[in-house]
Amino acid sequence: MSLFSKIKIGDEKYPALTGIRAMGATVVFFDHFPLPPNFHTRINVLAFFFVLSGFLIIRLYYNKAELSGKSMRKYFTNRFARIYPVYFLLLTVAILLRHDFRPLLLVKNYTLTHALINNTTDFIIQPSWSLTVEECFYFLAPFIILLIKKFNFLTSLTFGFLLLSIALIVSLSGLPILQTPVFVFSTTFFGHFLEFYAGVFLALVMMKKEKQGQIKLKGYKWTIGGAAGVVLLIIVMGFIYAYPPIYPYKIILVNNFLIPFPIAVLYYGLMCEDSIVSRFLSGKFLGILGRSSYTFYLLHTIVIHYVAIPFLLPYFGSHYLLCAAFTYALTYFISYLVFIFYEEPLNIFIRQKFIPKAKTTETTASA
């Protein structure tokens, strides 16, 4: 069987969500290479990824989760195969380009513990702080699933609030991790837990609908309602930034505790309603971009800082927009090559090697 037949791009169960990954990665790129210059997105784009992760992990593993050695081995091998090989490769490239070989810095970055300490200079790949957030969720997800199965969703949600409370206490204790409440809310899983839980709840709703055979809905009310809620909160964020002083807890309220709900509603609409937006996001081109978006997300700041700024910007001169567009296309082209020839082959190899009779792909939405 060829590699391309194993990858099966466009064969996801929820293709619109794969398209969301491509769109989200694109927004992040142009936040770091802004159009126009000095313009920055005033909304938590990562919330879209965190809600999606909460949905995918629960949807993929809810019916398989148990506290057995075999089950845990399979689960964590799957997560490792999906996340770490690409991160290891690109982190190593970034370290060689940066020429910073301090042992503690390397340990923190290679172990993905760097975003538990309030020091952004420790992020060799700047966006990689979100991987620490994701890894914390992956570690806790089996326990969250078991809480839901044994009790209910509200019990697991209470557990999330308990973790946040403990993290805030630690941030005030003077210990060398977490360190400040604002850092907890902005850079850790504990502050972002509600975004994941919005996805968890969405997965439970979708599994119930699928069990009942009632997936497709008429009309577009959920898609429109979710999109309207997101746009409204973006407008609110615009007002917050437009009228200083800017209080961080206003931003945290919108980004961490309000926007997950319309995002979940939007995802529900995209999965259940046959709208123009859903069909656009489900297209094969966005599917290709979505499947390679993880590599793109980690790679784009490396390309911007070590290729675009020192070489491409002087070459393009006054044609800034053309330079940004070329850098975007170049980054996605490299990301797609890495996905095809490194990310997915190694993912398949690790699963086949360490999980007996393991399926080669997670096709729910390329989790």
Side-chain angles (χ1 to χ4, degrees):
M1 184 181 292
S2 70
L3 170 63
F4 292 94
S5 64
K6 289 182 179 181
I7 292 175
K8 297 180 180 178
I9 291 175
D11 194 36
E12 295 87 1
K13 187 176 180 66
Y14 309 112
L17 299 188
T18 303
I20 282 287
R21 292 176 60 186
M23 298 300 292
T26 297
V27 173
V28 171
F29 176 89
F30 286 110
D31 187 49
H32 292 140
F33 204 139
L35 301 176
N38 301 319
F39 174 82
H40 294 285
T41 305
R42 300 302 190 185
I43 198 69
N44 178 19
V45 181
L46 272 299
F48 288 84
F49 291 108
F50 294 156
V51 174
L52 184 56
S53 290
F55 171 79
L56 292 175
I57 294 301
I58 300 305
R59 180 63 188 83
L60 282 168
Y61 295 105
Y62 185 82
N63 293 322
K64 309 170 188 176
E66 55 184 54
L67 291 179
S68 68
K70 183 178 179 180
S71 177
M72 289 297 97
R73 176 188 174 187
K74 181 177 180 179
Y75 170 76
F76 285 110
T77 300
N78 280 335
R79 294 296 87 215
F80 176 87
R82 176 58 67 189
I83 297 298
Y84 200 76
V86 170
Y87 176 69
F88 180 88
L89 172 67
L90 296 181
L91 175 62
T92 302
V93 170
I95 289 169
L96 294 175
L97 291 170
R98 178 168 161 165
H99 299 291
D100 191 342
F101 305 104
R102 288 173 289 163
L104 183 58
L105 177 72
L106 299 183
V107 169
K108 287 189 290 187
N109 278 268
Y110 276 113
T111 59
L112 280 170
T113 57
H114 57 318
L116 294 175
I117 300 169
N118 187 17
N119 186 357
T120 57
T121 61
D122 285 344
F123 303 166
I124 294 176
I125 298 178
Q126 194 277 331
S128 66
W129 68 267
S130 66
L131 293 190
T132 303
V133 177
E134 294 271 2
E135 293 301 310
C136 288
F137 172 67
Y138 295 158
F139 180 79
L140 293 166
F143 185 66
I144 291 171
I145 291 173
L146 292 175
L147 280 177
I148 296 171
K149 284 186 171 184
K150 186 172 179 61
F151 301 102
N152 50 46
F153 173 77
L154 288 178
T155 301
S156 72
L157 183 63
T158 302
F159 172 67
F161 277 106
L162 176 63
L163 290 177
L164 172 60
S165 300
I166 294 172
L168 291 174
I169 292 171
V170 171
S171 73
L172 298 171
S173 67
L175 294 174
I177 61 172
L178 304 181
Q179 294 185 339
T180 71
V182 171
F183 179 78
V184 169
F185 282 113
S186 62
T187 316
T188 74
F189 164 78
F190 311 106
H192 288 279
F193 85 96
L194 196 60
E195 293 149 78
F196 290 93
Y197 270 88
V200 170
F201 184 76
L202 178 61
L204 297 175
V205 171
M206 285 299 298
M207 286 189 290
K208 184 177 180 180
K209 286 184 66 67
E210 289 168 359
K211 189 175 181 180
Q212 296 171 345
Q214 301 173 349
I215 300 175
K216 294 301 179 182
L217 300 172
K218 295 181 180 180
Y220 316 111
K221 65 178 182 180
W222 294 99
T223 304
I224 294 173
V230 170
V231 170
L232 176 62
L233 291 177
I234 291 175
I235 293 172
V236 170
M237 287 295 293
F239 275 104
I240 292 174
Y241 280 97
Y243 297 99
I246 300 171
Y247 297 102
Y249 289 105
K250 289 183 179 179
I251 299 172
I252 289 166
L253 174 64
V254 175
N255 282 342
N256 298 38
F257 293 93
L258 295 182
I259 203 168
F261 298 103
I263 290 174
V265 172
L266 174 62
Y267 288 173
Y268 181 74
L270 292 175
M271 289 186 287
C272 298
E273 297 172 340
D274 186 25
S275 63
I276 296 175
V277 176
S278 178
R279 290 196 295 271
F280 170 73
L281 292 171
S282 300
K284 287 192 175 181
F285 179 68
L286 280 183
I288 291 172
L289 298 185
R291 293 297 298 276
S292 52
S293 62
Y294 171 57
T295 297
F296 178 88
Y297 177 72
L298 291 178
L299 178 64
H300 77 277
T301 53
I302 299 174
V303 175
I304 289 171
H305 293 305
Y306 294 103
V307 178
I309 293 176
F311 300 109
L312 295 180
L313 272 177
Y315 177 79
F316 280 92
S318 61
H319 302 288
Y320 176 87
L321 297 182
L322 186 59
C323 178
F326 179 82
T327 304
Y328 172 78
L330 174 65
T331 306
Y332 245 127
F333 177 71
I334 297 171
S335 300
Y336 182 66
L337 293 180
V338 173
F339 172 73
I340 290 293
F341 295 109
Y342 176 81
E343 178 183 347
E344 196 67 0
L346 197 52
N347 177 23
I348 293 170
F349 171 78
I350 292 172
R351 295 183 187 199
Q352 290 180 336
K353 183 73 173 177
F354 296 100
I355 305 176
K357 298 180 181 180
K359 293 182 180 180
T360 57
T361 55
E362 293 173 333
T363 58
T364 301
S366 59

